[in-house]
Amino acid sequence: MLIRLQTPLRVALRSFAKSEGISISPVPFPENVILHHPNIPRSPILFSIRYASHQSQGRANGPKATAGRRLGAKKTGEEYVIPGNIIFRQRGTHWFPGENCGMGRDHTIYATETGYVKYYKDPERHPKRQYIGVVFERSQTLPLPRNAARRRRLGMVAVEYDSESTTEASRDLEARESVKVEGVREEPSKKSKELPKTELSLRPGYMYREANWEIGRAAERANVKVRGYKPRDRFAAWRKTVIRRTKNAERRGMRRK
């Protein structure tokens, strides 16, 4: 028999012998009586046997057929993009963000400026990496030279400054200002009232503004008269609102009928 059953049997026999008045000397169990599991070596202590608790076959352990993640290029070369447009979705860094591009935490490359998409390599930056960038003009190529001037990131194109055109425009403005129309009286400009200067402090929400009590007394500081508040009969107003609501409810009921 199992070792874990020997102790309870001994205790039961001793209690039975005491109740009947019989004296029993402790006799050890023979070794040939103890049975062992064929796959477990003989041991003086045996607590329990653990069997497999996971399903070994069937649908539970089969392959997971999930939907595709729709990876790959979302914008082709020289395609127009705006800030936030996704250009390439990937798992891992097959492509790296270049000029005017960024990369999300799931390695998605997106545009940060308005322009045209360019796929390119930059051996000076890295010998093997592939980059995706955005340029402001379709004819522009990447990578840019290391000493080249960077374009302004405002969606604008640099234009040469023509001094002759600006001088002509300034002359036209001066001629128009010198001409006076007859019969038209020039009105003096209205001067705005100068308000007292107040020092703005940092308020909650990281804003520099006046305090609430100062804003409430702005009319008083500007010498603006405010109409006084006249309390009226609030009970009469409440009765009128109740009558109006009941009439509206009756009208809705008539329409439904």
Side-chain angles (χ1 to χ4, degrees):
M1 64 180 66
L2 297 177
I3 295 176
R4 58 186 175 182
L5 298 178
Q6 294 179 7
T7 304
L9 288 174
R10 288 174 182 171
V11 173
L13 288 173
R14 288 175 183 174
S15 61
F16 178 75
K18 287 181 180 180
S19 62
E20 297 293 332
I22 303 171
S23 63
I24 300 175
S25 61
V27 178
F29 283 88
E31 293 185 358
N32 56 3
V33 177
I34 300 173
L35 301 178
H36 293 276
H37 197 274
N39 297 331
I40 299 175
R42 296 173 64 88
S43 175
I45 300 173
L46 179 65
F47 294 98
S48 63
I49 301 171
R50 179 172 174 80
Y51 297 95
S53 59
H54 191 71
Q55 190 173 0
S56 60
Q57 63 182 356
R59 186 83 180 156
N61 299 327
K64 307 299 186 293
T66 57
R69 298 297 93 191
R70 278 69 176 171
L71 306 177
K74 308 303 175 184
K75 300 291 182 181
T76 58
E78 298 187 359
E79 189 171 351
Y80 184 78
V81 292
I82 60 174
N85 280 10
I86 294 174
I87 302 175
F88 202 93
R89 280 194 177 276
Q90 57 185 345
R91 292 291 179 266
T93 51
H94 300 287
W95 293 87
F96 288 84
E99 294 288 334
N100 304 321
C101 282
M103 185 166 64
R105 62 182 182 180
D106 60 345
H107 307 106
T108 298
I109 295 177
Y110 59 92
T112 57
E113 301 295 334
T114 303
Y116 302 91
V117 179
K118 294 286 183 179
Y119 293 82
Y120 66 97
K121 286 187 176 182
D122 193 353
E124 295 183 5
R125 193 172 177 182
H126 197 277
K128 295 182 180 180
R129 287 184 179 180
Q130 306 175 108
Y131 295 93
I132 301 175
V134 174
V135 295
F136 301 124
E137 299 177 10
R138 192 187 293 270
S139 59
Q140 190 178 351
T141 58
L142 291 175
L144 297 174
R146 289 290 167 262
N147 298 328
R150 290 290 181 262
R151 301 295 184 96
R152 295 184 66 189
R153 300 186 178 185
L154 298 173
M156 299 182 179
V157 180
V159 181
E160 294 184 1
Y161 181 75
D162 189 3
S163 60
E164 295 180 359
S165 60
T166 54
T167 53
E168 291 179 0
S170 60
R171 290 173 186 172
D172 293 340
L173 290 173
E174 291 176 359
R176 290 177 183 176
E177 289 177 358
S178 61
V179 175
K180 293 184 178 180
V181 182
E182 297 180 359
V184 178
R185 186 177 61 182
E186 295 182 359
E187 295 182 358
S189 59
K190 296 180 180 179
K191 295 182 180 180
S192 59
K193 296 181 180 179
E194 295 183 358
L195 298 176
K197 296 181 179 180
T198 56
E199 295 182 359
L200 303 180
S201 58
L202 184 62
R203 307 299 301 174
Y206 298 98
M207 294 184 294
Y208 283 93
R209 64 176 182 85
E210 298 176 346
N212 292 336
W213 67 271
E214 293 178 347
I215 296 173
R217 301 189 64 179
E220 183 180 348
R221 289 201 306 268
N223 298 324
V224 177
K225 293 183 179 180
V226 182
R227 186 174 61 182
Y229 174 72
K230 294 182 180 180
R232 298 180 180 178
D233 189 0
R234 298 302 302 166
F235 182 69
W238 174 77
R239 283 185 298 174
K240 291 180 180 178
T241 54
V242 171
I243 293 169
R244 186 174 65 253
R245 288 174 183 173
T246 52
K247 287 184 178 180
N248 292 336
E250 291 177 359
R251 291 173 185 173
R252 293 194 199 98
M254 294 295 290
R255 290 175 185 174
R256 291 172 185 173
K257 291 180 181 178

